[in-house]
Amino acid sequence: MVPNYAALRALLRDLGGEREARILVEGKRDIAALSGLGIPKERIVQTAQMNYSQLEKTLPKETKLIPLFDNDRTGLLRLKRFIGYFSANGFSIDYSYSARCRTAGLTCLEDIGDLL
């Protein structure tokens, strides 16, 4: 799929405006890609190597969560499980950004810096 650059730039702009939200990503390269494009590292949380109960303990319930996992089979399954667990435990989840990544043609979040 050919990336939609305007949609990717709009996605980053809107993520930057979500100042109180925590952005959840899979790994270190995802953190590096987002922080390299201006998203503060302290707002990005790596979820690899953590189970959901461990992750839950690190996040205040009043914080909005924005999961940004890869748009491959594994990432989509992870997103489905993530939403099920955290919404059942009272967290506010905005998964519209994941859909926007798919629409913009972004399969792996770590590639966003290379595309822009």
Side-chain angles (χ1 to χ4, degrees):
M1 177 181 247
V2 177
N4 179 329
Y5 301 107
L8 288 173
R9 284 190 288 278
L11 178 122
L12 280 174
R13 181 194 65 232
D14 294 347
L15 271 176
E18 296 276 2
R19 302 209 188 285
E20 301 302 316
R22 292 294 174 264
I23 302 164
L24 294 105
V25 299
E26 293 179 23
K28 292 177 185 177
R29 291 186 290 182
D30 300 324
I31 293 172
L34 288 176
S35 64
L37 293 169
I39 305 295
K41 278 187 181 181
E42 59 271 4
R43 292 187 34 226
I44 308 169
V45 179
Q46 179 182 333
T47 62
Q49 312 302 323
M50 279 184 139
N51 65 42
Y52 291 150
S53 63
Q54 290 171 321
L55 183 58
E56 181 180 10
K57 291 175 186 172
T58 68
L59 300 167
K61 286 220 182 197
E62 63 276 359
T63 302
K64 178 166 63 169
L65 305 179
I66 300 174
L68 286 181
F69 304 137
D70 290 345
N71 286 309
D72 57 11
R73 196 178 104 237
T74 303
L76 293 174
L77 180 60
R78 180 178 287 190
L79 178 64
K80 182 180 175 181
R81 289 179 180 161
F82 177 89
I83 291 169
Y85 180 90
F86 284 94
S87 61
N89 285 294
F91 284 87
S92 171
I93 303 168
D94 183 350
Y95 50 90
S96 67
Y97 286 93
S98 291
R100 289 174 65 184
C101 284
R102 282 191 300 280
T103 301
L106 184 63
T107 302
C108 295
L109 187 61
E110 64 197 47
D111 295 337
I112 195 168
D114 295 335
L115 294 173
L116 297 174

